[in-house]
Amino acid sequence: MEQLRILLIGKGGREHGLAWKLSQSPRVEHIYVVPGNGGTAHGLKKVSNVDHVSANNYPNLVSLAKELNISLVVVGPDDAVADGIEGYFREVGIPCFAPTREAAEIEGSKTFAKDFMRRHQIPTAEYENFSDYDLAKNYLATVTHRVVIKVSGLAAGKGVIIPTSTEEAQEALKEIMVGGKFGAAGSSVVIEEYLEGNEISVSTFSDGKTSKTISPAQDHKRIFDGDKGPNTGGMGVYAPVPMATLEVMREIEERIIKPTFDGLKSEGRTFVGLLFTGLMLTATGPKVLEYNARFGDPETQSVLPLLSQETDLAEVLLACTQGRLDQVKIETTPGFACNVVIASDGYPDSYSQDELVEFGSAPKGVMIFHAGTKVVDGQIRTAGGRVFAVTAVKDTLEAAVASAYEGVKTIKFRNMYYRNDIASR
């Protein structure tokens, strides 16, 4: 059996989680992470960082892949996927686990995604798209229901505003479209109805013909306890979600996942990769909140630890690129996973960096996935807003949550912050 040399693009907790699971494959000879973080720099067998090539310089990444004799490229970040990084490797015949630029537009443009759902009768919130500030402002003045404002472009998971009043909505809209809070990503916006219910996400592998969904998960997007404060990239995730019963998952598959893949294919945008679907379980059924065209973060740090030891992630990803997903098994273990994100105080706004991290002895079975970290003179220092995701897998959700928080207590750095209520909804 051919040994695999993997090039993994990215530097977050998601990429540390992917490297951790991929390194367990007997087929994997080595994983090169560009640029990686403090967690992928040491502590994982068969994993090392490459920091002399930029993760945004796709031609140079292709040259690196050729030089290292790479047999599979795995892409983490949303911007690389939306830029069409897959095409650069396709041109030289190197398998790349990422959708095409055309398929990835389902994440890269909220405007496209909402119109796509309307075209294919996929349940979602009622909405209007705007690229003109005055039209958007006037529309907001006429609606009588609560709204959500979404920047159309990529905004690192922070481009969703949930105002609690008309005044707050108008202020947020002005900051986005006039003040340029999110740059070009906010040049157009989606204004949609606020949906009540329980929010979950599902992650689905696709090879363009076959799709397989793994454990449903629930993230906690707001920065403060009680779901208060601004949105973040995610502050903690547990999986599976008890309210996502077999019946609910069947409905999601039939009314949302299958029509999404079929719709993309019918438009010449066949999706190969991982589709992350954010959903609201409303009183009238599941509705789509958003699509991501890659692994979620921090969802990855909970759903991958739930995959069985027999599930070879490297083989799954390679099978997707080769159109043979129907030939591989994806199994999950019984039990629950919970991760708690440790952030730098001040995130998602301004925060300090380069703080020295001290580690105690983590409880058995607790996994510490690095996100915003770096190695300086042999020591781990902070290098981002979200710094760690601490994950535990146990037989019950309560035990997984308790164990994850025990793990959190073994990490210390100046100005660290985390929510205290993950999985308490």
Side-chain angles (χ1 to χ4, degrees), residues 46-283:
K46 306 189 288 190
V47 178
S48 60
N49 289 349
V50 178
D51 57 11
H52 67 274
V53 177
S54 167
N56 296 321
N57 191 323
Y58 309 134
N60 282 3
L61 288 175
V62 170
S63 298
L64 177 68
K66 289 178 176 177
E67 178 188 322
L68 296 174
N69 197 25
I70 293 299
S71 38
L72 175 66
V73 179
V74 179
V75 185
D78 53 6
D79 52 356
V81 173
D83 284 347
I85 188 174
E86 176 272 344
Y88 289 84
F89 291 99
R90 177 164 27 94
E91 281 183 6
V92 296
I94 299 175
C96 179
F97 184 80
T100 63
R101 180 203 294 268
E102 293 77 19
E105 193 171 2
I106 202 163
E107 173 175 14
S109 168
K110 295 287 191 295
T111 299
F112 169 81
K114 293 295 286 192
D115 290 345
F116 170 85
M117 286 183 267
R118 180 178 279 169
R119 286 195 297 276
H120 296 281
Q121 291 85 53
I122 295 167
T124 190
E126 291 299 316
Y127 74 99
E128 293 293 342
N129 298 323
F130 295 95
S131 54
D132 180 282
Y133 169 67
D134 288 327
L135 290 176
K137 180 179 70 171
N138 293 339
Y139 173 77
L140 267 185
T142 65
V143 296
T144 55
H145 54 74
R146 279 193 70 184
V147 300
V148 177
I149 302 173
K150 297 180 177 181
V151 304
S152 184
L154 299 177
K158 301 167 199 157
V160 177
I161 314 298
I162 308 176
T164 56
S165 66
T166 302
E167 294 73 25
E168 200 176 308
Q170 290 285 9
E171 184 181 341
L173 183 70
K174 190 172 184 179
E175 285 179 353
I176 294 167
M177 299 193 78
V178 179
K181 182 176 182 178
F182 296 99
S187 60
S188 60
V189 298
V190 176
I191 301 176
E192 66 180 31
E193 66 170 325
Y194 175 82
L195 294 177
E196 298 276 1
N198 287 295
E199 186 175 344
I200 69 165
S201 66
V202 296
S203 300
T204 308
F205 294 102
S206 170
D207 67 357
K209 300 175 293 184
T210 301
S211 64
K212 296 187 177 185
T213 296
I214 54 179
S215 300
Q218 185 172 80
D219 190 10
H220 299 67
K221 288 288 188 188
R222 301 294 193 100
I223 186 65
F224 300 127
D225 288 358
D227 292 328
K228 306 292 186 187
N231 264 11
T232 69
M235 292 301 294
V237 170
Y238 73 92
V241 183
M243 67 196 72
T245 61
L246 284 175
E247 184 180 343
V248 168
M249 291 303 292
R250 195 175 300 115
E251 183 179 5
I252 290 169
E253 191 69 36
E254 292 172 359
R255 297 186 62 211
I256 293 169
I257 304 301
K258 188 176 185 302
T260 298
F261 288 129
D262 289 348
L264 287 168
K265 181 178 280 189
S266 73
E267 296 188 8
R269 301 170 184 263
T270 299
F271 192 100
V272 174
L274 184 123
L275 180 70
F276 172 104
T277 308
L279 301 150
M280 187 70 80
L281 304 183
T282 75

Side-chain angles (χ1 to χ4, degrees), residues 280-304:
M280 187 70 80
L281 304 183
T282 75
T284 55
K287 295 186 179 182
V288 176
L289 295 172
E290 65 170 352
Y291 294 110
N292 292 340
R294 37 74 194 182
F295 286 95
D297 188 346
E299 288 83 2
T300 297
Q301 297 92 295
S302 280
V303 298
L304 290 191

